[in-house]
Amino acid sequence: MIKTHLFLMKNRARKKWKLNKQVFHLTFDFTTLIYSLFIIGYMFIAIFLDGNMLKQIDELFIGVEAFSKDRFWFIVTAFPVFHLLRAYQQPGVLFTTAEYLLTSLPNPRAYVWLAVAIKRWIRALIIYLIAGTSLYLFSPTSFPLIVTYVCLMLFLNVLMTIPEWKFFQLHIWGKMGITLFFIILNILSFIIPSFWIGISFLTLLIIYNIRTAPKLFKGIDWNKVTAACDFKLWNMVIVSHASKVKFKKERQYSVWQRLSFWKKPFPYEKKAVYHRLWHLYIEKNISFVLQIVGALLLMLFVFVFIKDTLFLFAIALTIHIYTNLIVSMFRDRLVTDIVEALPWDLNVFKQTLLKWSVIPSLIFIFPYAIFAYYHLSFWLLPQFIIIMFTFRFLIKMKLEKVIQAFDDTQKLREWVEFLVYGLLLILIFSNMYPLLLILGCFIIGVIPFFQGRR
């Protein structure tokens, strides 16, 4: 079994090396690469040898060393969180289809799994040794501290192998519950002496490993494990980018399809059908949506600590970009799949999308809550009202514009759009001129009155 597994590892490495070599030769010119390396090396030397850059780096490492000494037991409980987050997508042990086929031969499944786990531990040891050696050579960090953390991380890596393997098999709600428990545990380490929490955590982890080891392969979805491990092994980002071929996982049922409410009889009503269509469309494009929402959220969290006017401008920009995202999804959905071929009630289709767009928008309240905490005043309430209603008016107005392109009977008042964008300007300058908020609240009261009369 060991010889066969080594044979698999050798041929995998050989195949990956050939693919990366081909990509390298297709992407880089050798002469240009040499000159580029010389330029990068010169810039690196110029930056780090000129001025006090080295001194600043030494001071940074001294601060990190002091923190790592004071918060040692906090790091003991915080480091496993990284393993749990990784176990959402992979089981921790690279048990691919090839390893699974080895178990069909006269090889005990436990031996194959242990061989793969040992490979994980050896790889982690090599990475930690390289990182520790680099720190020892190029930083003022003390040698005993480096050795302590290398041993600690390797020990936690070994202890978290079985928990990751079992965690990967859990239902999404179980995973979220355990993750929340770990987060609460790390918060408690700031309140209760972290020494006792760290010792208790390590003890429970060791007990869990001892009790779970005999039931290691009970309740394992092997198709799910091998699909995730195959994807991790062969998802070579550089090769995919160069060849324009994206490696995909095997088709798996989504989380929603495994929930009980999804299996209930479907109510064939107009709104229910439209909600299901939006659900499938958003699930298909969830990565694109999360990228935009994440970028906007990061911008707000950064600007809230810089300057008040910049933060309000960021809110106005977020409203504009997020509404454009929803409108582009609405326009694209009308010309995609079955929606393009059949007649639909566009107004109901719009209403169902508005419900889907409100839920992700609630996350933007958190940066504003931080802003409100540092700027408590009477004007926060009208400012928040303007933010909410401006978002509502703007998204409805833009969606109605799209509907107008399909239905000529829909009439829009152009000056309403002028008033809505005026609310965005009022929002931007509201911190400098608070009285503008009174004008903004008056405009909010006027717009629905004239919209109802059209």
Side-chain angles (χ1 to χ4, degrees):
M1 188 274 294
I2 294 176
K3 289 183 178 180
T4 308
H5 192 250
L6 291 175
F7 174 79
L8 288 174
M9 292 173 57
K10 182 178 70 174
N11 283 278
R12 281 174 185 167
R14 182 181 298 171
K15 185 175 181 179
K16 283 191 171 186
W17 169 255
K18 287 182 179 179
L19 291 173
N20 286 316
K21 187 178 178 181
Q22 289 177 357
V23 170
F24 180 82
H25 286 304
L26 289 171
T27 307
F28 299 103
D29 176 69
F30 184 75
T31 305
T32 306
L33 181 63
I34 293 296
Y35 284 115
S36 300
L37 290 175
F38 275 121
I39 293 173
I40 294 172
Y42 173 78
M43 293 175 62
F44 181 82
I45 294 173
I47 291 172
F48 281 90
L49 295 184
D50 186 31
N52 58 349
M53 182 65 71
L54 293 176
K55 183 179 178 181
Q56 293 178 1
I57 293 175
D58 288 344
E59 292 176 354
L60 175 64
F61 277 109
I62 291 172
V64 171
E65 181 176 1
F67 175 82
S68 58
K69 288 180 179 178
D70 295 338
R71 292 291 179 179
F72 176 81
W73 292 105
F74 169 74
I75 295 173
V76 169
T77 56
F79 189 71
V81 177
F82 162 75
H83 290 277
L84 288 184
L85 294 177
R86 186 175 62 178
Y88 273 88
Q89 298 293 329
Q90 58 193 36
V93 174
L94 201 63
F95 204 96
T96 65
T97 305
E99 278 78 15
Y100 186 74
L101 288 175
L102 278 179
T103 62
S104 62
L105 300 173
N107 300 311
R109 185 170 292 175
Y111 287 2
V112 179
W113 187 92
L114 183 60
V116 180
I118 291 174
K119 184 177 69 174
R120 160 189 162 132
W121 301 333
I122 293 174
R123 182 184 177 188
L125 176 62
I126 293 172
I127 293 173
Y128 298 151
L129 286 177
I130 293 174
T133 304
S134 302
L135 281 175
Y136 179 71
L137 294 176
F138 302 107
S139 74
T141 309
S142 62
F143 180 75
L145 184 66
I146 293 175
V147 173
T148 302
Y149 271 98
V150 167
C151 295
L152 171 67
M153 288 189 292
L154 181 63
F155 181 61
L156 289 175
N157 191 293
V158 174
L159 284 182
M160 289 300 296
T161 303
I162 293 178
E164 281 184 68
W165 176 260
K166 287 294 188 179
F167 183 87
F168 180 73
Q169 302 297 324
L170 294 178
H171 193 275
I172 184 63
W173 299 117
K175 293 179 180 179
M176 294 176 65
I178 294 175
T179 306
L180 181 62
F181 168 75
F182 271 82
I183 293 173
I184 294 173
L185 186 68
N186 284 278
I187 293 174
L188 288 176
S189 64
F190 285 95
I191 303 173
I192 305 172
S194 56
F195 170 78
W196 297 110
I197 293 181
I199 291 294
S200 303
F201 171 75
L202 289 178
T203 305
L204 290 175
L205 203 56
I206 293 171
I207 294 173
Y208 177 82
N209 277 271
I210 295 172
R211 291 178 61 87
T212 310
K215 301 178 290 183
L216 191 62
F217 304 115
K218 185 178 179 180
I220 300 298
D221 185 351
W222 292 102
N223 289 329
K224 180 181 177 182
V225 170
T226 54
C229 292
D230 287 341
F231 179 77
K232 174 178 170 56
L233 179 64
W234 297 110
N235 185 27
M236 305 166 66
V237 179
I238 298 176
V239 176
S240 298
H241 182 74
S243 62
K244 307 298 181 183
V245 177
K246 189 175 181 181
F247 189 85
K248 296 182 179 180
K249 290 183 181 180
E250 294 182 12
R251 181 71 175 93
Q252 299 286 332
Y253 289 109
S254 68
V255 174
W256 305 103
Q257 289 170 294
R258 292 194 292 267
L259 298 179
S260 58
F261 79 87
W262 190 277
K263 301 175 183 178
K264 292 180 179 180
F266 183 75
Y268 288 93
E269 300 173 355
K270 187 182 292 186
K271 288 187 177 181
V273 173
Y274 291 2
H275 274 297
R276 180 61 59 88
L277 287 172
W278 279 120
H279 176 239
L280 296 173
Y281 179 81
I282 293 173
E283 185 180 16
K284 185 179 179 181
N285 298 277
I286 188 64
S287 60
F288 176 70
V289 175
L290 289 179
Q291 287 176 6
I292 295 180
V293 172
L296 294 175
L297 191 65
L298 179 62
M299 178 183 68
L300 292 176
F301 273 116
V302 171
F303 280 16
V304 73
F305 297 105
I306 296 177
K307 195 174 180 180
D308 303 345
T309 306
L310 281 177
F311 176 71
L312 295 175
F313 174 78
I315 290 180
L317 185 63
T318 298
I319 293 173
H320 176 69
I321 294 175
Y322 185 73
T323 52
N324 280 343
L325 170 66
I326 301 301
V327 170
S328 65
M329 292 173 62
F330 183 65
R331 187 182 291 111
D332 181 66
R333 192 68 181 102
L334 294 177
V335 294
T336 304
D337 302 329
I338 194 174
V339 182
E340 183 181 13
L342 297 178
W344 304 93
D345 189 335
L346 294 180
N347 288 316
V348 178
F349 213 63
K350 178 192 72 174
Q351 294 298 327
T352 52
L353 175 61
L354 287 174
K355 293 182 179 180
W356 280 93
S357 63
V358 167
I359 296 174
S361 66
L362 296 177
I363 197 173
F364 297 119
I365 294 177
F366 291 103
Y368 186 78
I370 298 175
F371 175 81
Y373 176 78
Y374 288 106
H375 303 84
L376 286 175
S377 69
F378 166 78
W379 299 105
L380 285 176
L381 180 60
Q383 193 177 66
F384 184 73
I385 292 173
I386 289 177
I387 292 173
M388 294 293 101
F389 278 91
T390 303
F391 169 72
R392 180 174 178 271
F393 290 150
L394 192 60
I395 193 171
K396 289 185 67 175
M397 180 188 66
K398 290 182 177 181
L399 290 175
E400 288 172 359
K401 272 190 171 183
V402 177
I403 294 176
Q404 189 183 32
F406 292 88
D407 185 2
D408 295 335
T409 61
Q410 297 283 343
K411 300 298 181 183
L412 298 175
R413 297 180 184 271
E414 295 182 357
W415 58 269
V416 174
E417 182 178 2
F418 174 78
L419 288 179
V420 173
Y421 279 103
L423 288 174
L424 288 179
L425 291 176
I426 289 174
L427 174 63
I428 294 172
F429 297 102
S430 62
N431 214 47
M432 300 171 59
Y433 307 102
L435 292 177
L436 287 174
L437 295 172
I438 300 176
L439 176 62
C441 292
F442 174 75
I443 294 174
I444 288 174
V446 168
I447 290 177
F449 175 74
F450 285 102
Q451 282 182 330
R453 293 180 58 187
R454 63 185 181 182

